[in-house]
């Protein structure tokens, strides 16, 4: 069935990708239904997240996908098999800054512990941290760049932070870091730079939290081309 999906999460881990978003279908808890489009027996590839013209799918895009069958694997109850052979995602529209300002505050997860607690019941949530710090690091020897965020969500906080796999935030952070090997942005500075910030948090296959979407109002500036993903 062809369904419109608002893309709220993209993750890149090595050459494997994942996608998450909300449909227009209502959900009693989260307001709208979360989905994680998947393939059966194989991870998504870079090609799966590009439009026919070669442009990459972006966070905040509304795309049309052929959702075939739910494939829940608790706590990853949002998994839905997609008919990727039907062709690349079809771009419908994106969120303007006005739409972003209306959407994100309205769809903050009222029960984030259902994802982030000790016994998760589902694997995706949208949160607005009470405070947020960002850390970027680059190892010249291994040429490895890492980004972590330290969100405080009520009583939830980790000094080690949460790893970020959102490729767009990684691209922004790499540009921000420049020639330095390490930098940290505290809550006040981050808010001054980017405005209100919301995060899509997801549980990976091992049940560990990761950031797969960084959303700001207005959207933070970033030069994007087909190589960004």
């Amino acid at each position: 069935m062809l369904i419109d999906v608002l893309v709220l999460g993209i993750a890149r881990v090595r050459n494997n990708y994942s996608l998450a978003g909300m449909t227009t279908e209502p959900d009693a808890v989260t307001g709208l239904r979360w989905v994680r489009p998947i393939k059966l027996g194989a991870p998504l590839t870079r090609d799966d997240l590009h439009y026919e013209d070669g442009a990459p799918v972006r966070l905040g895009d509304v795309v049309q996908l052929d959702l075939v069958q739910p494939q829940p694997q608790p706590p990853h109850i949002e998994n839905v098999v997609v008919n990727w052979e039907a062709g690349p995602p079809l771009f419908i529209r994106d969120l303007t800054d006005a739409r972003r300002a209306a959407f994100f505050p309205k769809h903050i997860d009222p029960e984030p512990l259902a994802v982030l607690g000790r016994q998760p019941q589902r694997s995706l949530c949208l949160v607005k941290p009470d405070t947020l710090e960002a850390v970027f690091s680059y190892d010249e020897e291994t040429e490895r760049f890492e980004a972590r965020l330290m969100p405080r969500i009520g009583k939830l906080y980790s000094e080690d932070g949460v790893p970020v796999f959102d490729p767009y935030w990684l691209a922004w952070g790499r540009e921000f870091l420049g020639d330095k090997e390490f930098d940290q942005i505290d809550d006040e500075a981050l808010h001054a730079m980017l405005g209100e910030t919301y995060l899509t948090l997801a549980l990976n296959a091992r049940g560990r939290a990761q950031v797969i979407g960084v959303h700001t109002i207005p959207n933070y500036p970033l030069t994007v081309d087909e190589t960004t993903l």
Side-chain angles (χ1 to χ4, degrees):
M1 180 183 298
L2 293 175
I3 298 289
D4 288 355
V5 178
L6 171 61
V7 178
L8 295 173
I10 297 175
R12 179 185 65 203
V13 182
R14 298 183 179 87
N15 293 323
N16 296 338
Y17 293 79
S18 62
L19 184 70
M22 284 182 168
T23 72
T24 57
E25 301 167 273
D27 183 275
V29 177
T30 58
L32 296 174
R33 176 193 173 200
W34 278 103
V35 292
R36 181 187 283 104
I38 64 170
K39 288 180 180 178
L40 273 180
L44 299 186
T45 67
R46 178 180 179 276
D47 290 342
D48 294 321
L49 300 185
H50 282 71
Y51 299 115
E52 189 171 7
D53 64 0
V57 173
R58 293 195 63 174
L59 296 171
D61 286 357
V62 177
V63 303
Q64 193 172 82
L65 296 171
D66 187 7
L67 303 186
V68 178
Q69 180 182 359
Q71 195 76 19
Q73 299 178 356
H76 301 85
I77 63 171
E78 307 88 353
N79 290 358
V80 180
V81 177
V82 171
N83 177 19
W84 296 98
E85 294 181 359
L90 178 64
F91 176 80
I92 304 299
R93 62 182 180 276
D94 59 9
L95 289 184
T96 63
D97 285 341
R99 286 180 177 268
R100 296 172 74 84
F103 177 86
F104 286 106
K106 186 177 178 180
H107 293 89
I108 297 171
D109 200 306
E111 299 179 11
L113 284 177
V115 176
L116 306 174
R118 293 184 178 180
Q119 296 181 322
Q121 302 162 22
R122 45 193 172 86
S123 68
L124 293 167
C125 64
L126 178 70
V127 300
K128 184 181 186 301
D130 301 319
T131 63
L132 184 64
E133 298 171 78
V135 169
F136 304 104
S137 62
Y138 178 72
D139 187 317
E140 289 188 354
E141 184 175 341
T142 62
E143 297 185 345
R144 183 176 180 179
F145 173 76
E146 291 186 347
R148 302 181 79 86
L149 288 168
M150 283 80 83
R152 186 181 297 278
I153 308 165
K155 296 182 179 180
L156 295 176
Y157 180 76
S158 170
E159 292 184 356
D160 294 331
V162 183
V164 181
F165 293 98
D166 167 358
Y168 295 104
W169 182 253
L170 292 174
W172 185 87
R174 187 68 189 91
E175 183 176 322
F176 169 82
L177 192 60
D179 295 331
K180 294 175 288 186
E181 294 185 2
F182 178 87
D183 206 346
Q184 183 167 351
I185 312 174
D186 64 20
D187 179 71
E188 182 177 357
L190 195 62
H191 188 274
M193 293 171 65
L194 301 178
E196 300 292 333
T197 302
Y198 299 79
L199 305 178
T200 301
L201 297 175
L203 300 182
N204 65 13
R206 297 182 179 181
R208 296 175 180 173
Q210 55 188 16
V211 178
I212 64 170
V214 179
H215 313 277
T216 62
I217 302 174
N219 197 12
Y220 61 87
L222 177 67
T223 300
V224 175
D225 59 28
E226 67 276 6
T227 67
T228 304
L229 281 180

